[in-house]
């Protein structure tokens, strides 16, 4: 075993020793490579592990073995962004809750973990993002929100046929959103049954990716039913201020979430970054290191 491999293993064992402590609620292991059984033997931490992996197949293997697992995108995000995405997914699935102390271990995609972070759920993950900001209330289906965050990340990373695109996904308070918007193009979801246009269906998420090339926003009900695409959001709130450098798409999302009870996900065409708006404010930002070309 090389010196670097020995160090990697000792680093993991040290992290697991910390995870053994009573004050640690969960050990979020963000890596596709499983932890060796001999490294887990006799450790209380083995019952605290939540695996965050980039493959449905790997996740199902863990779940089949009665272990907690969730799937995150395989894109080349920074270590901090990977932790954010995994924490949001774990929150939405109820794997962690407010007040939990979570020890997070991650690294570059395809490499051994090299970074250890701790976060108290309900506190700040970093100076800009409070994870509690994505706890959106009982009116929102957490599975729907998580699926749409993952979808927005895909749109930001992949674009359409190699070209970067941006879009807005509004969720909730659909009556008010429709009243404060107008149709720009033919609505491609009109005429479909509700069962045929729910975002929990992978085929509908793929359709949203394709229709993201249209101007305007998607309007999605709290339960995940897509009501419209290509909507121009006309709501405005002069009291809402967005950070310098963000354009009309972000201003529209801030305006609609300030004047309704909806939330909005914005994919930046310029950078591929994903921002979640609630009450006119950005409550979550996810940036990537490189876009797929």
């Amino acid at each position: 075993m090389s010196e670097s491999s020995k160090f990697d293993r000792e680093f993991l064992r040290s992290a697991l020793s910390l995870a053994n402590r009573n004050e640690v609620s969960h050990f979020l292991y963000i890596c596709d490579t499983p932890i060796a059984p001999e490294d887990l033997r006799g450790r209380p931490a083995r019952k605290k592990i939540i695996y965050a992996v980039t493959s449905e197949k790997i996740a199902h293997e863990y779940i089949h073995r009665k272990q907690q697992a969730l799937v995150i995108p395989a894109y080349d995000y920074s270590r901090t962004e990977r932790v954010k995405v995994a924490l949001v997914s774990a929150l939405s699935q109820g794997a962690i809750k407010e007040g939990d102390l979570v020890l997070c271990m991650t690294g570059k995609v395809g490499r051994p973990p090299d970074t250890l972070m701790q976060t108290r759920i309900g506190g700040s993950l970093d100076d800009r993002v409070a994870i509690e900001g994505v706890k959106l209330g009982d009116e929102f289906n957490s599975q729907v929100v998580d699926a749409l965050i993952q979808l927005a990340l895909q749109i930001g990373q992949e674009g359409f046929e190699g070209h970067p695109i941006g879009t807005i996904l509004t969720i909730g308070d659909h009556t008010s959103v429709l009243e404060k918007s107008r149709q720009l193009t033919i609505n491609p979801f009109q005429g479909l049954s509700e069962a045929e246009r729910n975002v929990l269906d992978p085929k509908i998420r793929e359709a949203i990716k394709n229709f993201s090339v249209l101007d305007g926003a998607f309007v999605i009900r709290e339960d995940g039913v897509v009501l419209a695409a290509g909507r121009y959001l006309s709501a405005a709130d002069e009291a809402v201020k967005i950070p310098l450098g963000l354009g009309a798409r972000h201003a529209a999302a801030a305006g609609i979430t300030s004047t309704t009870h909806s939330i909005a996900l914005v994919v930046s065409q310029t950078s591929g970054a994903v921002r979640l708006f609630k009450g006119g404010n950005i409550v979550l930002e996810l940036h990537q290191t490189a876009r797929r070309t």
Side-chain angles (χ1 to χ4, degrees), residues 66-135:
K66 309 298 183 185
Q67 295 169 303
Q68 286 188 292
L70 50 92
V71 181
I72 62 170
Y75 306 135
D76 188 23
Y77 293 100
S78 70
R79 292 160 178 79
T80 300
E81 303 302 298
R82 294 193 83 205
V83 169
K84 288 182 193 176
V85 172
L87 283 172
V88 169
S89 187
L91 268 171
S92 73
Q93 295 181 34
I96 58 178
K97 63 184 185 302
E98 185 168 2
D100 284 349
L101 179 64
V102 183
L103 202 60
C104 310
M105 193 170 192
T106 189
K108 297 280 285 181
V109 175
R111 301 288 299 277
D114 57 15
T115 302
L116 191 65
M117 301 170 63
Q118 67 158 324
T119 183
R120 176 78 65 180
I121 302 302
S124 291
L125 181 58
D126 59 23
D127 291 334
R128 294 175 300 135
V129 175
I131 285 294
E132 63 183 349
V134 301
K135 299 170 72 178

Side-chain angles (χ1 to χ4, degrees), residues 198-223:
N198 194 295
V199 300
L200 296 179
D201 182 344
K203 290 184 293 186
I204 296 303
R205 295 200 295 274
E206 190 65 28
I208 290 174
K209 285 169 64 177
N210 293 333
F211 290 132
S212 292
V213 298
L214 300 175
D215 289 334
F218 292 87
V219 179
I220 301 169
R221 214 164 60 190
E222 293 90 338
D223 59 0

Side-chain angles (χ1 to χ4, degrees), residues 11 20 26 32-33 42 44 50 52 83 96-97 124 132 145 277 285-286:
F11 182 52
N20 285 337
H26 303 283
D32 286 349
T33 304
I50 303 170
V83 169
I96 58 178
K97 63 184 185 302
S124 291
E132 63 183 349
V145 175
F277 283 82
E285 288 189 69
L286 297 169

Side-chain angles (χ1 to χ4, degrees), residues 8 10 35 64 73 90 95 112 139-140 159 187 225 228 254 268 273 275 278 280:
D8 289 338
E10 285 302 314
I35 300 172
H64 182 71
E139 69 270 27
F140 294 98
N187 177 11
V225 172
S268 169
R275 295 178 177 88
K278 178 186 179 185

Side-chain angles (χ1 to χ4, degrees), residues 28-35 49-63 65 68-75 82 85-86 89 93 105 109 150:
L28 186 58
Y29 184 69
I30 309 167
C31 181
D32 286 349
T33 304
I35 300 172
I49 298 175
I50 303 170
Y51 292 94
V53 297
T54 63
S55 161
E56 292 277 358
K57 181 181 177 181
I58 297 173
H60 288 151
E61 289 173 356
Y62 282 124
I63 293 168
R65 297 199 296 265
Q68 286 188 292
L70 50 92
V71 181
I72 62 170
Y75 306 135
R82 294 193 83 205
V85 172
S89 187
Q93 295 181 34
M105 193 170 192
V109 175
Q150 305 284 355

Side-chain angles (χ1 to χ4, degrees), residues 168-170 172-173 176-181 217 232-243 246-266 275-282:
I168 305 174
L169 307 166
T170 71
D173 199 7
S176 298
V177 173
L178 290 171
E179 288 175 351
K180 295 176 182 290
S181 64
Y232 173 75
L233 303 177
S234 53
D237 187 346
E238 294 182 359
V240 171
K241 304 296 182 186
I242 63 171
L246 300 184
R249 192 172 277 121
H250 293 86
I256 199 70
T257 60
S258 175
T259 56
T260 69
H261 294 294
S262 67
I263 59 173
L265 282 163
V266 181
R275 295 178 177 88
L276 176 62
F277 283 82
K278 178 186 179 185
N281 298 310
I282 298 171

